[in-house]
């Protein structure tokens, strides 16, 4: 028998779990007992941006309920096919900001590293749904150029591993990456933006924890949870391990119509995060990406909502309400 602590065994376990995902609309409909009348539109919308729902995530969705807040995040809908003025294919204008292969350096002091185009789930509101991320990601052949940029740009003190989802990379790849970042003297902090722990808590392998905590860089993990029902007992356990090792845990959410656009839902989310050792960081307004207009909560309504949450929750459980403006030198904070 292979012992559970063997890194190879663990790696293959999370990778297998990740591979177990619904990618065919018909299979998801059958499993969730959804109304077949929605199927043709779902098929059409999934041609533009493929369906991907990990089975563990699907298991948390209420059967037969088209309005389930977890389902709404992943179910392709007819509404995605409607073109809406003001919604385009690169709403945050990332394609103009590549500083070096795989690097977006728009803000002072920190740079975003596009480590991969792959994700464990396809969120329908994602601004990357049209973006050629696989072409844009860091790659082994040009990694020297990427490192050279970071080395000569001393102003950068924090590197954010983003994507896609950086934790879809193997532990080996991540270890190599984190090691080489650790060798750049002026870097102080490492941040990882990932939704994977929420989908597959086993992704936080002992090897990954070692790799993060043995680096001289101070580490933060920013997860992406939009609804309290995405928080599971295994997720809490796994995050606890990271927290005990001194990793700061933050969350970012997107404010989404029909998912978390009420005061009660957002308060429950903040409290659920805190009871899992995670602090709310950002509540993003939707990026205005083509095909996601039906998720939008208008800015004035968002600000109202935020005021009401502020009256209910302690300040430290209040995420900052922000918008991503092309050309701005930081997120634009609304509240
Ligand atoms: C969001 C973002 C960051 C991180 O911003 P923080 O305010 O530090 O969380 C960094 N770079 C880019 C390009 C971003 O879009
Ligand atoms: S996990 Fe993040 S990057 Fe991936 S599809 Fe969802 S929102 Fe987009």
């Amino acid at each position: 028998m292979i012992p559970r602590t063997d890194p190879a065994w663990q790696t293959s376990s999370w990778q297998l779990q990740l591979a177990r995902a619904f990618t065919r609309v018909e299979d998801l409909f059958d499993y969730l007992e959804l109304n077949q009348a929605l199927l043709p539109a779902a098929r059409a919308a999934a041609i533009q941006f493929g369906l991907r729902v990990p089975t563990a995530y699907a298991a948390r969705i209420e059967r037969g309920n088209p309005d389930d807040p977890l389902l709404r995040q992943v179910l392709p809908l007819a509404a995605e096919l409607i073109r809406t003025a003001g919604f385009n294919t690169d709403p945050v204008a990332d394609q103009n900001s590549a500083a070096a292969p795989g690097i977006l350096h728009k803000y002072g002091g920190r740079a975003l590293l596009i480590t991969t185009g792959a994700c464990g789930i396809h969120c329908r509101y994602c601004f990357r749904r049209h973006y050629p991320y696989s072409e844009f990601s860091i790659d082994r052949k040009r990694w020297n150029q990427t490192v050279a940029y970071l080395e000569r740009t001393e102003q950068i003190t924090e590197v954010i591993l983003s994507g896609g989802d950086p934790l879809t990379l193997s532990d080996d790849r991540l270890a190599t990456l984190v090691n080489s970042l650790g060798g750049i003297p002026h870097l102080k902090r490492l941040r990882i933006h990932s939704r994977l722990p929420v989908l597959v808590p086993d992704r936080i392998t002992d090897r990954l924890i070692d790799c993060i905590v043995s680096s001289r860089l101070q580490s933060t993990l920013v997860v992406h949870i939009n609804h309290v029902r995405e928080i599971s007992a295994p997720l809490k356990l796994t995050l606890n391990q990271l927290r005990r090792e001194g990793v700061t845990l933050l969350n970012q959410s997107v404010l989404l119509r029909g998912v978390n656009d009420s005061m009660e839902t957002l308060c429950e989310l903040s409290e659920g995060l805190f009871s899992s050792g995670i602090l709310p960081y950002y509540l993003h307004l939707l990026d205005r990406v083509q095909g996601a207009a039906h998720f939008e909560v208008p800015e004035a309504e968002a600000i109202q909502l935020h005021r009401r949450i502020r009256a209910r929750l302690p300040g430290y459980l209040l995420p900052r309400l922000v918008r991503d403006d092309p050309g701005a030198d930081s997120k634009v904070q609304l509240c």
Side-chain angles (χ1 to χ4, degrees):
M1 204 178 101
I2 306 169
R4 210 196 130 82
T5 48
D6 182 302
W9 187 90
Q10 288 196 346
T11 302
S12 66
S13 158
W14 72 260
Q15 281 165 334
L16 281 174
Q17 288 179 56
L18 200 59
R20 264 185 241 125
F22 290 98
T23 53
R24 288 183 65 241
V25 172
E26 295 77 6
D27 296 341
L28 185 71
F29 268 64
D30 286 347
Y31 176 73
L32 291 176
E33 299 160 20
L34 294 171
N35 185 343
Q36 298 287 324
L38 297 169
L39 187 57
R43 260 198 215 116
I47 292 170
Q48 283 196 354
F49 181 50
L51 175 89
R52 172 163 289 276
V53 187
T55 49
Y57 193 85
R60 275 181 253 150
I61 295 173
E62 188 192 340
R63 308 278 163 114
N65 177 9
D67 299 325
D68 181 281
L70 273 56
L71 179 66
R72 296 243 338 149
Q73 297 178 52
V74 295
L75 180 68
L77 291 178
E80 293 178 26
L81 304 168
I82 301 168
R83 294 198 159 257
T84 310
F87 285 73
N88 60 49
T89 53
D90 182 17
V92 289
D94 276 348
Q95 309 201 33
N96 303 323
S97 339
I103 292 187
L104 288 182
H105 185 201
K106 294 208 285 191
Y107 303 166
R110 55 246 198 254
L112 213 110
L113 212 56
I114 308 297
T115 55
T116 168
C119 271
I121 187 168
H122 285 179
C123 312
R124 308 311 297 178
Y125 52 84
C126 182
F127 71 89
R128 294 182 169 121
R129 51 181 290 147
H130 302 285
Y131 195 87
Y133 263 76
S134 30
E135 290 159 38
F136 184 72
S137 304
I138 53 168
D139 62 57
R140 280 166 228 235
K141 270 183 257 148
R142 297 184 303 162
W143 179 238
N144 286 342
Q145 292 174 49
T146 308
V147 172
Y149 178 82
L150 294 171
E151 278 173 343
R152 71 172 179 267
T153 316
E154 292 192 7
Q155 178 223 65
I156 299 174
T157 51
E158 175 169 6
V159 168
I160 304 168
L161 305 187
S162 180
D165 196 313
L167 295 187
T168 57
L169 299 179
S170 69
D171 286 343
D172 279 348
R173 280 279 281 144
L174 285 164
T176 310
L177 229 138
V178 172
N179 275 338
S180 80
L181 293 175
I184 301 174
H186 53 271
L187 289 186
K188 295 179 182 154
R189 291 178 303 278
L190 174 74
R191 199 195 312 179
I192 301 175
H193 280 183
S194 175
R195 194 148 158 71
L196 223 63
V198 182
L199 310 171
V200 180
D202 286 345
R203 173 62 192 99
I204 308 297
T205 58
D206 294 346
R207 174 116 195 274
L208 179 67
I209 296 175
D210 269 359
C211 152
I212 295 172
V213 303
S214 66
S215 168
R216 75 172 176 82
L217 303 171
Q218 201 180 352
S219 294
T220 304
L221 173 67
V222 184
V223 290
H224 171 183
I225 299 173
N226 297 316
H227 193 281
V228 72
R229 275 186 26 222
E230 290 172 58
I231 302 172
S232 63
L235 174 68
K236 283 190 185 192
L237 278 176
T238 206
L239 291 183
N240 224 337
Q241 268 179 291
L242 281 171
R243 207 156 51 101
R244 275 203 307 267
E245 298 285 351
V247 178
T248 300
L249 302 177
L250 302 174
N251 181 60
Q252 49 185 345
S253 310
V254 184
L255 182 58
L256 298 165
R257 180 68 84 211
V259 174
N260 56 12
D261 57 335
S262 80
M263 183 182 70
E264 290 71 25
T265 310
L266 288 170
C267 288
E268 279 168 19
L269 174 60
S270 274
E271 290 182 331
L273 290 169
F274 188 64
S275 74
S276 315
I278 310 167
L279 282 173
Y281 179 42
Y282 279 150
L283 177 61
H284 294 267
L285 286 191
L286 182 76
D287 289 318
R288 305 192 90 199
V289 59
Q290 188 66 251
H294 56 293
F295 282 115
E296 188 170 55
V297 177
E299 195 168 304
E301 186 183 333
I303 291 171
Q304 280 305 318
L305 202 53
H306 197 268
R307 290 218 172 102
R308 293 173 56 214
I309 302 167
R310 194 160 55 196
R312 175 81 75 88
L313 291 180
Y316 61 90
L317 290 191
L318 204 66
R320 301 158 182 83
L321 181 66
V322 291
R323 191 181 65 211
D324 205 341
D325 271 3
D329 61 4
S330 70
K331 303 276 185 277
V332 178
Q333 193 169 330
L334 302 169
C335 273

